[in-house]
């Protein structure tokens, strides 16, 4: 046997890994726990999150031998898995949930292999309880502040926020995140319709 020879060149990859590591450290410092989920999703989630018929996130590739029938597609978004993490903890009475994930999603582009896209997403929940101190800071603005601080930390300029048309977000408490006019993400509360479909009941 002969050990194969191959040149090692990973400067760009190493730089990306370093940036991702810094990004994760920043989000952890903001109080979020990292989740690592399977790269699969349930087709039913497209209906749960009210995704339109022509939404690109509906273009999911089926898995030939899925581990479970309920997760038979390659995920096109991180939202279903993060929501499942939230629901699992919420059902067990966890009062405050801050979770994020950095991973790839997969889009069917009509080729043998899907397009792999790196994404980062998070979900935040805090039970509302009576307090002697008046707290006017809404969760929406708290998370928005984390995102703005992240941009400042990485010296990202030209960012802005505009009204979002995402079908699963609250129309009055949501926004798209833009950098130099390009839409790079979204932020907002889940819409009442989605909350009802997920059967999330607020605790008293």
């Amino acid at each position: 046997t002969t050990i194969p020879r191959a040149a090692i060149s990973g400067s760009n990859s190493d730089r990306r890994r370093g940036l991702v590591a810094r990004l994760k450290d920043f989000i952890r410092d903001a109080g979020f726990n990292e989740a690592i989920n399977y790269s699969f999703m349930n087709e039913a989630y497209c209906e749960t999150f009210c995704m339109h018929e022509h939404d690109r996130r509906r273009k999911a590739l089926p898995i030939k031998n899925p581990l479970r029938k309920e997760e038979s597609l390659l995920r096109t978004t991180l939202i279903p898995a993060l929501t499942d993490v939230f629901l699992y903890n919420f059902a067990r009475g966890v009062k405050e949930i801050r979770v994020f994930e950095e991973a790839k999603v997969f889009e069917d582009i009509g080729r043998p292999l899907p397009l792999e896209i790196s994404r980062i997403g998070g979900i935040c929940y805090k039970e509302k309880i009576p307090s002697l101190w008046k707290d006017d800071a809404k969760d929406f603005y708290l998370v928005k502040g984390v995102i703005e601080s992240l941009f400042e930390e990485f010296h990202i300029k030209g960012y802005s926020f505009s009204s979002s048309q995402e079908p699963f977000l609250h129309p009055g408490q949501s926004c798209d995140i833009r950098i130099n006019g390009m839409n790079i993400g979204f932020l907002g509360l889940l819409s009442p319709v989605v909350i009802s479909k997920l059967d999330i009941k607020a605790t008293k």
Side-chain angles (χ1 to χ4, degrees):
T1 58
T2 303
I3 298 176
R5 295 182 178 182
I8 298 176
S9 176
S11 58
N12 290 335
S13 178
D14 290 344
R15 182 175 181 273
R16 182 188 181 281
R17 280 197 293 267
L19 288 172
V20 171
R22 280 183 57 203
L23 178 65
K24 289 183 177 182
D25 286 342
F26 182 92
I27 298 174
R28 291 191 196 98
D29 290 343
F32 286 75
N33 296 307
E34 183 176 6
I36 300 175
N37 296 305
Y38 289 116
S39 299
F40 315 131
M41 73 175 194
N42 189 335
E43 185 177 7
Y45 262 113
C46 292
E47 300 298 332
T48 301
F49 287 93
C50 307
M51 293 180 182
H52 303 305
E53 181 181 352
H54 301 294
D55 194 310
R56 291 174 62 181
R57 288 164 294 200
R58 281 185 174 270
K59 294 183 177 181
L61 286 171
I63 301 168
K64 287 185 177 179
N65 298 301
L67 296 176
R68 296 195 310 159
K69 183 179 179 181
E70 294 79 9
E71 296 179 331
S72 59
L73 302 175
L74 281 176
R75 66 182 175 188
T76 57
T77 171
L78 302 181
I79 297 171
L82 286 169
T83 302
D84 283 342
V85 172
F86 160 74
L87 292 172
Y88 179 88
N89 287 277
F90 181 79
R92 284 155 181 77
V94 180
K95 307 295 184 184
E96 185 170 356
I97 303 166
R98 291 188 179 192
V99 179
F100 81 96
E101 182 177 14
E102 185 277 326
K104 289 184 177 181
V105 298
F106 307 87
E107 183 178 330
D108 184 3
I109 54 174
R111 297 179 182 177
L113 295 177
L115 179 65
E116 298 184 24
I117 310 167
S118 293
R119 289 279 187 260
I120 188 162
I123 192 163
C124 178
Y125 166 81
K126 184 176 182 180
E127 184 181 58
K128 301 298 185 294
I129 58 176
S131 174
L132 294 175
W133 303 99
K134 185 177 180 181
D135 183 8
D136 292 326
K138 301 293 185 182
D139 292 341
F140 173 84
Y141 294 103
L142 289 174
V143 177
K144 183 171 177 282
V146 171
I147 294 173
E148 290 174 323
S149 297
L150 186 150
F151 288 153
E152 296 297 328
E153 174 70 17
F154 284 82
H155 307 290
I156 297 173
K157 306 298 181 182
Y159 64 85
S160 61
F161 302 91
S162 60
S163 298
S164 178
Q165 301 300 316
E166 291 290 353
F168 46 82
L169 295 181
H170 193 295
Q173 298 187 57
S174 61
C175 64
D176 286 337
I177 307 168
R178 306 174 71 84
I179 295 180
N180 295 326
M182 180 181 295
N183 193 354
I184 66 159
F186 52 81
L187 162 69
L189 276 66
L190 286 178
S191 75
V193 174
V194 173
I195 290 176
S196 176
K197 288 184 177 183
L198 293 172
D199 196 27
I200 300 173
K201 294 180 173 62
T203 56
K204 296 182 179 179

